[in-house]
Amino acid sequence: METKRVFPQELIERKQWICWRLERKQGSEKPNKTPYAPNASRRASSTDPATWGTLDQAEASCAKFGYTGIGFVFTKEDDLVGVDIDHCRNPETGELTEIAAAVVKRANTYTEISPSQTGLHFFFHGALPEGGNKHPNTGVEMYAHSRYFTMTGNRLGNVPMTIAEDAETLAWIHRTYVEKSKPQKA
């Protein structure tokens, strides 16, 4: 029996939902998470609102067309920022890496476990700091628009079901885990 996904009400109310399917890309071993429009059996774009729909539409299309899952699109028209940390959670024990544990402790916002069960998605109201949005060594990525998160509705532990107003947490995450170290002058 599949468990019901649970999302913050403010995400449910937005028409920024899509579907996605794991698809092999020629010449690549890792499959892509290809976005699909929830109101038609065509591809979606993270920059074209005409290819997005409601959560209900996305869930219905996911079942109808056999998509892998649903997703939520970040736009320039709102102040939502998503933080994605990959490979930070043991799917069997739930144990978090040092980076993920530090962000969870400070964030106090809606956080869900990724479809792989090994990553976390954090949601904030705020602004994306300037100076890059990801660091390959930490696995931390930050997005404010033109991207989507694969969504599970599988909330991490006892984190809030609401999206927090950023209280300098985004700047701290960026400064601590995203900014690249500048080379020292000799």
Side-chain angles (χ1 to χ4, degrees):
M1 182 171 135
E2 186 176 322
T3 58
K4 176 91 172 117
R5 304 176 226 228
V6 180
F7 301 103
Q9 188 61 36
E10 70 174 289
L11 295 183
I12 293 170
E13 294 170 355
R14 295 172 190 258
K15 194 176 176 185
Q16 293 170 226
W17 294 88
I18 59 169
C19 301
W20 61 275
R21 178 182 287 145
L22 283 177
E23 296 180 345
R24 291 263 179 228
K25 184 177 178 182
Q26 191 171 5
S28 175
E29 287 187 30
K30 185 178 177 186
N32 285 344
K33 295 172 186 160
T34 306
Y36 283 88
N39 48 11
S41 61
R42 63 185 173 109
R43 288 196 177 180
S45 167
S46 60
T47 59
D48 182 1
T51 64
W52 312 337
T54 65
L55 173 60
D56 287 342
Q57 289 172 324
E59 288 181 327
S61 290
C62 196
K64 180 179 179 180
F65 297 110
Y67 295 125
T68 307
I70 59 174
F72 183 84
V73 181
F74 293 91
T75 74
K76 290 180 182 178
E77 288 70 41
D78 61 37
D79 70 341
L80 289 175
V81 176
V83 175
D84 179 16
I85 307 178
D86 293 328
H87 313 295
C88 68
R89 179 181 177 275
N90 181 316
E92 293 168 11
T93 65
E95 184 178 350
L96 300 177
T97 63
E98 187 177 321
I99 292 172
V103 175
V104 167
K105 183 176 179 180
R106 180 148 180 177
N108 198 33
T109 191
Y110 176 71
T111 306
E112 67 171 42
I113 300 167
S114 69
S116 70
Q117 303 290 305
T118 63
L120 297 177
H121 297 154
F122 299 80
F123 289 77
F124 295 92
H125 286 285
L128 185 67
E130 293 184 18
N133 67 330
K134 60 184 173 180
H135 194 291
N137 297 336
T138 63
V140 177
E141 302 177 24
M142 305 174 79
Y143 300 102
H145 63 83
S146 308
R147 294 292 290 231
Y148 76 93
F149 275 1
T150 56
M151 300 290 287
T152 63
N154 184 4
R155 181 171 58 137
L156 177 70
N158 293 323
V159 299
M161 272 302 289
T162 56
I163 299 172
E165 294 292 331
D166 178 35
E168 295 300 315
T169 303
L170 290 171
W172 172 79
I173 293 169
H174 192 270
R175 186 174 53 253
T176 308
Y177 302 114
V178 175
E179 283 183 354
K180 309 236 184 330
S181 297
K182 295 186 174 152
Q184 298 291 326
K185 292 186 178 181

